[in-house]
Amino acid sequence: MKRTLLLIALGITMNTMAQNQAPMVLHYDRPADFFEESLPIGNGKLGALVYGGTDDNIIYLNDITLWTGKPVDRNLDADAHEWIPKIREALFNEDYARADSLQLHVQGPNSQYYQPLGTLHIKDLGLGTVTDYHRSLSLDSSIVKDSYLRNGQKIEREYFASNPDKLIAIRLRGDINCRIALTAQVPHQVKAIPTQLTMTGHAMGDAKESIHFCTMISVRTDGETTASDSSLTITNAKEAILYIVNETSFNGFDKHPVTQGTPYLENAANGIWHTQNYSYDEFYARHLADYKAIYDRVKLRLSGDSGQSGDYGNTDALLKAYTDSGGNSRYLEELYFQFGRYLLISCSRTAGVPANLQGLWTPHLWSPWRGNYTVNINLEENYWPVFVANMAEMAQPLDDFIQALATNGQYTARNYYGIGEGWCSSHNSDIWAMSNPVGEKRESPMWSNWNMGGAWLVNTLWERYQFTQDKAYLRTVAYPLMKAAATFCLNWLVENPKVPGELITAPSTSPENEYKTDKGYHGTTCYGGTADLAIIRELFINTIAAGKVLGEKKNALQKMEKALARLHPYTVGHMGDLNEWYYDWDDWDFQHRHQSHLIGLYPGNHLINEELRTNSYKLLKACERSLEIKGDETTGWSTGWRINLWARLKNGEKAHHIYRKLLTAVAPEKSRIPNYSKGGGTYPNLFDAHPPFQIDGNFGGVAGVCEMLMQSHDGVIELLPAIPEVWSEGKVSGLCARGGYEVSFEWKGGKVRDCSIKARQNGTVTLLYNGQQKTIKLKANQTQNIKTW
């Protein structure tokens, strides 16, 4: 009763969910045996993976600021740039083998590792048979629950992670007799007193050079508590509440974690004292109000989902049935969409520390690909849905991170490329905003030697302006970073010796892909790669546009405008595809997971805008042919990208087909479950399967659904641009469009029936729907209903 009154006082009862969206809940009838079955909670910094065992309830803890290493050495490899002229000489002599070998000299250290925080065990000391187990994650309420009967007596547990109060809360109810133990895979020590566990430790490596942490768990119970050296025992209780806080010594990308670190011990102590300020129900009410203020902005309902009772069975079974039946559950498609939004809200709220390859959640001491920031697609993909799916605040950590990259990237530009103006970033990064090319002078250039990361990332800053129309942000944050990245690119471009007057990049690689020359050489280093030039085109176009919005003097933009006009153009290959390489070479692997040469189509806008402006569709047809050659079988994150690409091409049936591919049931990595896909898809807990788990595919899927429902460019909003037949009826509310608009609409028979648009400022927009075009004048902060039929 108390919780209900609190929620009513805040105006957010559990029934305030939009009437037309089904309950968004993941259900399971057994505990998790594997990481890919566990349920994630997070407050943007502190997170947990709940397994929900009945004898031993394992909960992996994570803190997004716990990494190995320390700030980068900005003088590292100061002479590496001296190899660039030699690489160019080899390339322009068509000696690609030599160019590949010389590239090793322009490689620096690999990134640091994201680390797990700790492992909490809640061991039920009761004996007897367990029945009636149920475990769930409510996306609408941002809470995990599980329950079971032991000897006929019910045990109930709840778990949530609060951003306002910087804690994780767990409540146990029933006949509670349990032991609570805290341990970690990293160096640590644990101390117990009757109502509190304290764990201190540090990331792997020298304790004098590593991020340190302090985790504290406070127990409130009506039972009895006793302490051993490193655990607590609760007996004879009807209720027990655990509050978990953690702080690390991380104090910014340029601060030494020991000598300049935060007072993490004091901060953790203050955090645990704060748990006395509110009751459990009050903490949950504060958490829910904060979460729903973001989550409730967007609601989705697709045709074929009755959605009245919310009884869809176990999510893992629903996923498997969806895979086996060819994708006939609209509810699962809605659930996956909202799960992705839940994940981004839960893992991207820490200043300067964006969501990494695992988002926030890992049980591994050494996560796949170091759990780092992979900037040749994956970090960008993490934030594709952030504006269109109405979660703009979640992009702030990325903004901060880009500014850090720009600071370090000035030295990378100088040391590795001999360029004293602007900044660049490379394939990988970490919490220290490392910007150098990786590879350690021994790894393939295809994933080591690439300097377009910064040029690509800053387009997210332009997207924020496009969606919010915040001119102050554009002036003070976005434009300076974009202009500096463009300045590097202007200096990096060289004149094409094959075509005087043309500008290309050299050396160049196309992220992680390999070519076969007409003479049979299998290599990675080239010149004039399409991906490089696509990124630079998008950057120049957007930076010029930003400068004009801000009233930049014309002569300040002329150099960029002239260089843009001189860039080597797109070309179409002998297979009718868009060439990925300067020459019409074949890919070594035609089905390669990366499609970096299509960046101008998505997430970029310039390719489709130019084709529409000139009424020429030659390049769009070439993009389509490239996707046809790539095929449909690929990794999870690549599948997410391809949904968006097909949607941009206005092919709703194909986009939905690829969305169904993304929702292919994949068994947990360490399981031996038969009849499951071994490729890309979705794990039982709806985490994206690369495999292994990478969170970017989840976010690519969310963006893809938005792109199928609505697209916006250059003052035009198009509704249902790529709607599949199976989505012939539905409704969506709260999507955001470029130009500063929030759009809601309903459709039947594939036709828009009702639409409303809210504008951030006075303006005019062109609305495309049902084969019609309507120009609409809008007033700031007013919602206008549009008659569409």
Side-chain angles (χ1 to χ4, degrees):
M1 182 63 179
K2 186 177 181 182
R3 175 185 290 189
T4 302
L5 291 173
L6 286 163
L7 297 180
I8 291 173
L10 288 165
I12 49 167
T13 69
M14 299 301 287
N15 294 320
T16 57
M17 180 191 316
Q19 293 179 356
N20 295 311
Q21 178 174 277
M24 295 285 103
V25 185
L26 284 68
H27 291 280
Y28 304 87
D29 62 5
R30 61 181 181 82
D33 293 320
F34 303 98
F35 158 60
E36 299 90 347
E37 298 172 331
S38 63
L39 294 177
I41 58 174
N43 64 15
K45 180 178 182 288
L46 186 61
L49 292 160
V50 180
Y51 280 55
T54 55
D55 294 329
D56 184 8
N57 183 6
I58 298 172
I59 302 168
Y60 283 99
L61 301 175
N62 292 109
D63 186 307
I64 204 167
T65 64
L66 185 60
W67 292 67
T68 61
K70 59 182 180 179
V72 301
D73 177 359
R74 292 172 177 168
N75 294 313
L76 190 68
D77 293 329
D79 299 327
H81 64 272
E82 295 176 1
W83 291 94
I84 297 297
K86 298 175 184 178
I87 298 169
R88 286 175 174 161
E89 180 182 19
L91 284 171
F92 295 141
N93 287 328
E94 314 298 333
D95 189 348
Y96 301 106
R98 178 168 170 76
D100 273 340
S101 65
L102 291 176
Q103 284 268 64
L104 301 184
H105 296 286
V106 194
Q107 294 181 0
N110 290 330
S111 76
Q112 296 297 327
Y113 286 86
Y114 180 50
Q115 300 264 265
L117 176 62
T119 309
L120 175 64
H121 295 266
I122 303 176
K123 298 186 177 182
D124 189 340
L125 301 179
L127 301 175
T129 303
V130 170
T131 59
D132 296 337
Y133 183 86
H134 181 254
R135 180 169 57 108
S136 66
L137 164 59
S138 170
L139 307 181
D140 302 314
S141 304
S142 187
I143 191 167
V144 169
K145 297 181 180 181
D146 66 347
S147 63
Y148 57 92
L149 299 180
R150 188 183 290 276
N151 293 330
Q153 299 298 311
K154 191 169 189 177
I155 303 292
E156 297 177 294
R157 304 180 293 201
E158 297 179 342
Y159 321 76
F160 68 86
S162 168
N163 178 268
D165 296 302
K166 301 179 181 180
L167 57 79
I168 289 174
I170 301 172
R171 179 161 68 180
L172 317 176
R173 281 177 161 177
D175 289 331
I176 306 301
N177 294 277
C178 65
R179 180 174 297 114
I180 301 168
L182 184 61
T183 185
Q185 300 174 69
V186 297
H188 69 284
Q189 56 185 6
V190 179
K191 180 180 179 181
I193 58 176
T195 59
Q196 184 172 295
L197 288 173
T198 302
M199 179 171 70
T200 55
H202 62 86
M204 298 297 290
D206 186 345
K208 297 179 181 179
E209 303 282 351
S210 302
I211 294 176
H212 286 244
F213 67 86
C214 177
T215 308
M216 304 183 81
I217 301 179
S218 177
V219 176
R220 313 286 164 77
T221 181
D222 57 5
E224 301 170 2
T225 61
T226 56
S228 68
D229 289 340
S230 59
S231 66
L232 299 177
T233 300
I234 301 172
T235 54
N236 302 319
K238 295 299 180 184
E239 180 178 89
I241 297 170
L242 282 61
Y243 294 118
I244 306 169
V245 301
N246 183 76
E247 296 293 342
T248 74
S249 65
F250 176 72
N251 197 26
F253 76 100
D254 55 353
K255 300 292 191 299
H256 193 282
V258 176
T259 61
Q260 299 171 294
T262 65
Y264 67 100
L265 296 171
E266 178 182 340
N267 291 344
N270 289 340
I272 211 68
W273 273 110
H274 174 65
T275 63
Q276 301 181 54
N277 292 336
Y278 299 99
S279 68
Y280 175 90
D281 286 334
E282 289 170 326
F283 277 126
Y284 179 68
R286 288 163 56 84
H287 156 63
L288 188 60
D290 170 76
Y291 170 77
K292 289 177 78 67
I294 304 166
Y295 174 81
D296 278 351
R297 293 172 188 167
V298 175
K299 299 296 179 183
L300 174 66
R301 187 58 171 280
L302 299 172
S303 55
D305 170 24
S306 60
Q308 298 304 310
S309 68
D311 183 12
Y312 295 92
N314 294 321
T315 302
D316 49 353
L318 181 65
L319 180 65
K320 188 65 166 68
Y322 180 93
T323 302
D324 294 343
S325 67
N328 63 1
S329 172
R330 305 291 79 79
Y331 175 75
L332 181 63
E333 293 167 349
E334 297 164 0
L335 187 68
Y336 188 89
F337 172 81
Q338 292 291 23
F339 181 64
R341 294 185 67 246
Y342 165 84
L343 291 177
L344 195 57
I345 296 168
S346 301
C347 73
S348 185
R349 303 185 76 175
T350 298
V353 191
N356 59 51
L357 280 175
Q358 276 68 44
L360 167 60
W361 300 277
T362 182
H364 306 298
L365 180 60
W366 308 111
S367 289
W369 301 286
R370 300 169 179 252
N372 66 18
Y373 300 112
T374 304
V375 191
N376 67 7
I377 171 63
N378 312 94
L379 179 56
E380 289 86 353
E381 188 171 3
N382 279 1
Y383 289 90
W384 286 349
V386 71
F387 301 117
V388 67
N390 214 334
M391 304 177 287
E393 302 94 321
M394 304 305 104
Q396 187 59 51
L398 183 62
D399 285 13
D400 302 333
F401 184 67
I402 292 172
Q403 293 183 67
L405 281 176
T407 300
N408 287 338
Q410 300 173 64
Y411 300 93
T412 295
R414 181 193 68 189
N415 296 346
Y416 290 91
Y417 304 109
I419 295 173
E421 297 180 284
W423 69 279
C424 67
S425 183
S426 305
H427 176 186
N428 290 133
S429 191
D430 52 32
I431 200 170
W432 309 109
M434 181 194 83
S435 57
N436 60 268
V438 296
E440 300 183 341
K441 297 180 171 52
R442 56 185 172 80
E443 296 186 17
S444 171
M446 70 177 176
W447 50 57
S448 302
N449 297 86
W450 185 74
N451 57 14
M452 290 288 112
W456 189 353
L457 269 180
V458 292
N459 288 318
T460 305
L461 309 178
W462 173 244
E463 284 284 272
R464 180 191 282 274
Y465 169 74
Q466 290 272 77
F467 279 91
T468 65
Q469 299 294 291
D470 185 344
K471 195 176 288 189
Y473 167 83
L474 183 64
R475 179 179 292 108
T476 59
V477 178
Y479 185 62
L481 290 166
M482 294 167 68
K483 190 175 180 180
T487 298
F488 169 81
C489 291
L490 285 168
N491 284 276
W492 178 241
L493 289 165
V494 296
E495 186 159 323
N496 184 358
K498 313 296 181 180
V499 182
E502 212 175 66
L503 294 177
I504 58 172
T505 56
S508 174
T509 57
S510 194
E512 303 186 35
N513 206 353
E514 304 161 277
Y515 57 74
K516 183 173 71 172
T517 71
D518 54 348
K519 296 180 175 58
Y521 176 70
H522 172 199
T524 63
T525 304
C526 63
Y527 55 83
T530 302
D532 279 7
L533 298 175
I535 290 170
I536 293 172
R537 267 192 185 86
E538 190 78 14
L539 173 62
F540 284 0
I541 290 169
N542 294 344
T543 305
I544 291 167
K548 290 179 177 178
V549 168
L550 296 173
E552 183 80 273
K553 292 180 179 179
K554 189 174 181 180
N555 59 4
L557 303 174
Q558 280 183 341
K559 190 174 182 181
M560 222 179 302
E561 290 172 331
K562 290 179 179 178
L564 179 62
R566 293 175 61 195
L567 292 178
H568 174 68
Y570 285 105
T571 59
V572 178
H574 65 281
M575 300 173 70
D577 58 325
L578 196 73
N579 275 326
E580 186 161 357
W581 317 99
Y582 179 85
Y583 293 109
D584 189 8
W585 293 336
D586 286 341
D587 290 346
W588 185 256
D589 174 8
F590 285 112
Q591 281 76 50
H592 194 269
R593 61 195 176 276
H594 283 259
Q595 41 266 332
S596 305
H597 56 312
L598 304 185
I599 286 170
L601 176 62
Y602 187 94
N605 298 307
H606 72 261
L607 200 155
I608 197 165
N609 286 345
E610 180 63 17
E611 292 280 276
L612 293 173
R613 186 184 66 82
T614 60
N615 202 29
S616 167
Y617 300 97
K618 180 180 74 171
L619 296 182
L620 293 182
K621 290 177 181 176
C623 291
E624 183 174 14
R625 181 65 184 136
S626 293
L627 288 171
E628 289 171 351
I629 293 168
K630 288 282 185 184
D632 299 342
E633 302 299 327
T634 187
T635 61
W637 65 261
S638 180
T639 304
W641 191 357
R642 292 180 191 181
I643 299 167
N644 290 275
L645 288 164
W646 281 112
R648 276 284 167 92
L649 291 169
K650 310 295 178 67
N651 191 330
E653 297 305 323
K654 192 66 178 182
H656 183 256
H657 172 72
I658 302 299
Y659 189 44
R660 294 203 324 260
K661 286 286 184 182
L662 185 61
L663 284 165
T664 298
V666 178
E669 282 286 292
K670 295 183 179 180
S671 73
R672 298 181 180 273
I673 305 174
N675 302 319
Y676 274 79
S677 170
K678 299 298 182 183
T682 299
Y683 289 120
N685 63 357
L686 300 190
F687 271 168
D688 171 63
H690 177 290
F693 166 56
Q694 275 188 201
I695 204 166
D696 38 21
N698 288 102
F699 300 139
V702 176
V705 171
C706 295
E707 202 70 18
M708 294 162 73
L709 297 174
M710 183 184 74
Q711 296 180 23
S712 58
H713 310 282
D714 291 345
V716 177
I717 300 173
E718 184 174 3
L719 306 182
L720 305 183
I723 197 76
E725 187 176 348
V726 293
W727 291 3
S728 62
E729 182 177 332
K731 61 174 58 180
V732 65
S733 61
L735 294 184
C736 292
R738 293 173 182 85
Y741 305 102
E742 186 174 305
V743 185
S744 303
F745 57 96
E746 182 176 357
W747 67 97
K748 292 183 180 180
K751 302 291 184 182
V752 178
R753 301 296 293 271
D754 294 293
C755 175
S756 66
I757 303 179
K758 182 179 180 180
R760 288 177 176 267
Q761 59 186 25
N762 294 339
T764 301
V765 66
T766 298
L767 189 67
L768 300 182
Y769 61 92
N770 303 346
Q772 302 177 50
Q773 178 175 311
K774 181 179 288 189
T775 300
I776 305 162
K777 290 185 178 180
L778 297 162
K779 293 183 179 180
N781 300 314
Q782 291 186 9
T783 299
Q784 185 167 333
N785 295 317
I786 313 299
K787 192 171 183 179
T788 61
W789 62 290

